[in-house]
């Protein structure tokens, strides 16, 4: 009888651990949905890997062999200000502006390119281990994703790694495009889903899961690729989001269900 009691106690303990986990249950994470505020046209040929808003300029990095580039667009007029292609062997990924430098990642080339943010001309390069996916600037450091549930912090001048944080949630995501928001959190596209995660970059806790399904009509969505690309509009609680080969950029708010 005593052995049965102990076995029952173990089962109960394991069950409780399974519910709460080290970082809490995903059932406890707030779920938000999208409120569309407006729309803007988007190049349907752009395999979007990164969005960044700086003042009135929208930066976008795109991927695919032989078709990767980085471009700058005036947010008010939609006019293209500059565009630069990558060498054919490079697959472009996330972009972020830090100080007077625009950094651009490559996927499996292990190279980050530092650019002039006005002309997009290349200044220098830095190497890194592993894959490059998303990139954003948070204070005095860069935050980078590599397709796992771990974020890497980097020096904004040298690109050297300075630390990491891994998601504590059971939501084991492949973190893709990133946005370092004004409130200190990091928003991340969760590849290949239509979820956007709001993350505490100090602890790795997932603070919210945003359901971004249904933005495009099903007939249009069928001819595109995954949701990817997120950038907060400065001074507001609005974000721009889009996807690979999407014909539209959506201006949105994240609101409770």
């Amino acid at each position: 009888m005593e052995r049965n009691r102990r076995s029952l106690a173990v089962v109960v303990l394991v069950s409780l651990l399974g519910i709460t986990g080290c970082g809490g249950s995903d059932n406890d994470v707030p779920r938000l949905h999208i409120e569309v505020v407006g729309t803007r046209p988007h190049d349907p040929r752009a395999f979007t890997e990164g969005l960044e808003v700086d003042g009135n300029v929208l930066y976008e990095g795109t991927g695919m062999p032989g078709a990767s580039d980085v471009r700058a667009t005036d947010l008010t007029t939609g006019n293209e200000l500059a565009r630069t292609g990558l060498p054919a062997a490079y697959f472009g990924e996330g972009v972020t502006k830090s100080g007077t430098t625009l950094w651009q990642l490559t996927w499996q080339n292990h190279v980050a390119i530092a650019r002039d943010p006005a002309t997009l001309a290349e200044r220098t390069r830095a190497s890194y281990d592993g894959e490059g996916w998303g990139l954003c600037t948070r204070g005095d450091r860069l935050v980078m994703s590599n397709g796992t549930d771990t974020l890497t912090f980097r020096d904004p001048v040298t690109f050297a790694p300075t630390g990491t944080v891994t998601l504590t949630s059971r939501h084991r995501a492949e973190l893709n495009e990133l946005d370092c928001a004004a409130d200190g959190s990091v928003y991340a596209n969760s590849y290949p889903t239509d979820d956007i995660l709001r993350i505490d970059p100090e602890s790795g806790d997932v603070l919210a899961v945003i359901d971004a399904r249904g933005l495009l009509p099903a007939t249009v969505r069928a001819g595109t690729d995954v949701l990817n690309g997120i950038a907060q509009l400065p001074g507001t609680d609005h974000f721009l989001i889009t996807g690979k080969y999407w014909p539209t950029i959506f201006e949105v708010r994240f609101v409770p269900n």
Side-chain angles (χ1 to χ4, degrees):
M1 179 65 72
E2 182 63 27
R3 184 169 62 183
N4 289 342
R5 287 191 182 125
R6 287 179 181 174
S7 298
L8 179 60
V10 170
V11 169
V12 170
L13 178 60
V14 170
S15 297
L16 289 172
L17 288 174
I19 293 173
T20 60
C22 296
S25 169
D26 278 351
N27 293 330
D28 299 329
V29 177
R31 294 197 65 88
L32 308 178
H33 72 272
I34 298 290
E35 177 186 281
V36 176
V37 177
T39 60
R40 305 162 187 254
H42 181 244
D43 181 358
R45 298 164 298 178
F47 195 77
T48 304
E49 297 291 2
L51 287 184
E52 176 98 342
V53 174
D54 180 66
N56 198 44
V57 178
L58 173 65
Y59 294 101
E60 180 173 6
T62 74
M64 296 304 285
S68 296
D69 63 29
V70 58
R71 55 190 76 177
T73 305
D74 186 298
L75 270 177
T76 301
T77 65
N79 292 335
E80 187 172 285
L81 304 173
R83 184 187 299 211
T84 299
L86 274 70
Y90 283 8
F91 193 116
E93 288 282 345
V95 296
T96 192
K97 184 174 180 286
S98 177
T100 59
T101 299
L102 182 76
W103 282 102
Q104 181 181 24
L105 296 175
T106 56
W107 179 31
Q108 295 177 320
N109 305 100
H110 314 295
V111 171
I113 301 172
R115 299 186 179 278
D116 181 294
T119 65
L120 304 183
E122 181 179 328
R123 288 177 176 164
T124 188
R125 298 184 181 188
S127 61
Y128 54 85
D129 295 330
E131 296 183 352
W133 287 45
L135 194 65
C136 66
T137 299
R138 182 175 184 266
D140 60 355
R141 58 183 179 175
L142 307 179
V143 185
M144 175 179 161
S145 63
N146 62 4
T148 70
D149 59 357
T150 295
L151 297 173
T152 300
F153 305 114
R154 294 187 175 275
D155 184 279
V157 177
T158 66
F159 212 73
T162 59
T164 62
V165 66
T166 299
L167 296 191
T168 59
S169 167
R170 292 175 176 276
H171 196 119
R172 293 305 182 199
E174 295 180 47
L175 302 177
N176 202 353
E177 221 283 272
L178 305 178
D179 183 72
C180 293
D183 64 4
S185 62
V186 172
Y187 287 83
N189 287 115
S190 178
Y191 179 85
T193 74
D194 286 327
D195 285 344
I196 297 170
L197 307 184
R198 179 172 175 248
I199 301 166
D200 179 344
E202 300 298 330
S203 65
D205 291 342
V206 175
L207 305 176
V209 178
I210 301 146
D211 183 352
R213 289 176 296 176
L215 287 172
L216 292 175
T219 53
V220 176
R221 184 71 173 83
T224 66
D225 209 303
V226 298
L227 178 80
N228 201 45
I230 178 170
Q232 185 173 19
L233 290 172
T236 76
D237 63 348
H238 295 189
F239 291 78
L240 300 181
I241 62 175
T242 191
K244 304 172 189 289
Y245 301 143
W246 284 31
T248 306
I249 293 177
F250 294 88
E251 182 175 341
V252 302
R253 294 177 63 242
F254 305 138
V255 296
N257 286 325

